């Protein structure tokens, strides 16, 4: 009987250890996608693009001043990058880590520009859309302090775009690049009041 009890205890102990290890491993079955762990970044493979769409977040690594294709899971000579859309009625929360700061925003579209001659992406683009002037104005002012856009240029645009004598050029105006994050951040504004306005936010390596 003593040996039987010992064998039973040993079996129960082994089962408990097995369950504990399985719980700690965080194994995922099937085709379920999971978000990157803290400190990790998204890939731009087909599976990575699907995860960005389904989870509604994108975390990109430009801490070395550029977004390398191979680091994002693509061949170095890939001729183009993915065009990623949010699910209907949602936006993608975007975080681009640069050498000296992070570019953030939310958008229904995330675009990557490159060509086969370069090993990195020339540009990452996303869009802010506005129905209200107040929201657009706040976004521009925030970008001045966060990304280093030229304050005088931004203030001139804000003060003059709504004047009846304003130049047509002001309705399609480019601010930047601001470089305080160690990346070149440009705000291309398409102002169409009273219709919704769009800012195309372009993030690229310093020097292009």
């Amino acid at each position: 009987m003593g040996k039987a009890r010992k064998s039973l205890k040993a079996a129960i102990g082994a089962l408990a250890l097995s369950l504990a290890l399985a719980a700690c491993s965080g194994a995922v079955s099937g085709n379920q996608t999971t978000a990157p762990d803290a400190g990790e970044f998204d890939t731009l493979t087909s599976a990575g693009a699907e995860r960005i769409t389904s989870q509604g977040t994108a975390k990109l690594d430009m801490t070395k001043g550029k977004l390398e294709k191979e680091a994002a899971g693509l061949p170095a000579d890939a001729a183009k990058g993915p065009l990623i859309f949010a699910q209907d009625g949602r936006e993608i929360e975007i975080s681009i880590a640069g050498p000296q700061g992070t570019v953030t925003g939310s958008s229904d579209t995330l675009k990557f520009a490159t060509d086969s001659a370069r090993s990195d992406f020339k540009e990452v683009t996303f869009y802010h859309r506005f129905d209200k002037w107040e929201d657009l104005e706040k976004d521009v002012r925030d970008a001045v302090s966060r990304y280093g856009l030229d304050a005088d240029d931004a203030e001139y645009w804000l003060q003059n775009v709504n004047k009846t004598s304003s130049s047509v050029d002001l309705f399609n105006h480019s601010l930047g690049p601001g470089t305080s994050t160690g990346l070149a951040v440009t705000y291309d504004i398409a102002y169409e009041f009273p219709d919704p306005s769009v800012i195309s936010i372009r993030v690229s390596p310093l020097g292009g």
Side-chain angles (χ1 to χ4, degrees):
M1 289 292 291
K3 288 184 178 180
R5 287 197 186 99
K6 287 181 181 179
S7 297
L8 179 60
K9 287 182 179 179
I12 292 172
L15 177 60
L17 178 60
S18 169
L19 291 173
L21 290 174
C24 292
S25 69
V28 179
S29 61
N31 296 321
Q32 183 177 349
T33 58
T34 58
D37 294 330
E40 294 185 353
F41 298 94
D42 284 293
T43 64
L44 298 175
T45 60
S46 295
E50 288 176 5
R51 195 216 66 80
I52 290 172
T53 295
S54 64
Q55 298 294 322
T57 61
K59 189 175 182 182
L60 306 175
D61 182 12
M62 295 184 72
T63 53
K64 295 181 180 180
K66 61 177 90 172
L67 179 57
E68 293 284 359
K69 295 176 193 173
E70 289 187 336
L74 299 177
D77 61 352
K80 62 181 181 179
L83 179 61
I84 303 174
F85 297 102
Q87 291 182 342
D88 288 346
R90 297 180 58 187
E91 290 190 330
I92 300 168
E93 297 296 327
I94 300 160
S95 175
I96 305 173
Q100 298 160 10
T102 303
V103 180
T104 60
S106 57
S107 177
D108 57 8
T109 308
L110 185 57
K111 184 169 66 173
F112 299 84
T114 189
D115 58 61
S116 59
R118 59 188 299 159
S119 63
D120 66 326
F121 289 97
K122 178 181 180 180
E123 193 170 86
V124 181
T125 305
F126 58 96
Y127 306 90
H128 286 174
R129 307 181 193 277
F130 303 94
D131 294 319
K132 297 179 180 178
W133 163 258
E134 293 80 7
D135 294 336
L136 188 154
E137 179 183 21
K138 182 180 185 303
D139 194 42
V140 170
R141 293 191 188 281
D142 286 348
V144 170
S145 59
R146 293 182 62 195
Y147 308 133
L149 299 185
D150 186 276
D152 291 338
D153 189 16
E155 194 60 33
Y156 176 83
W157 184 84
L158 289 169
Q159 295 298 325
N160 288 278
V161 69
N162 283 321
K163 292 183 177 178
T164 55
S165 60
S166 64
S167 167
V168 173
D169 292 342
L170 288 179
F171 291 95
N172 291 280
H173 191 69
S174 183
L175 297 173
T179 59
S180 63
T181 61
L183 304 170
V185 181
T186 302
Y187 266 43
D188 288 336
I189 306 172
Y191 183 62
E192 300 183 16
F193 183 82
D195 296 325
S197 300
V198 179
I199 298 180
S200 302
I201 300 164
R202 299 187 286 111
V203 183
S204 57
L206 296 179

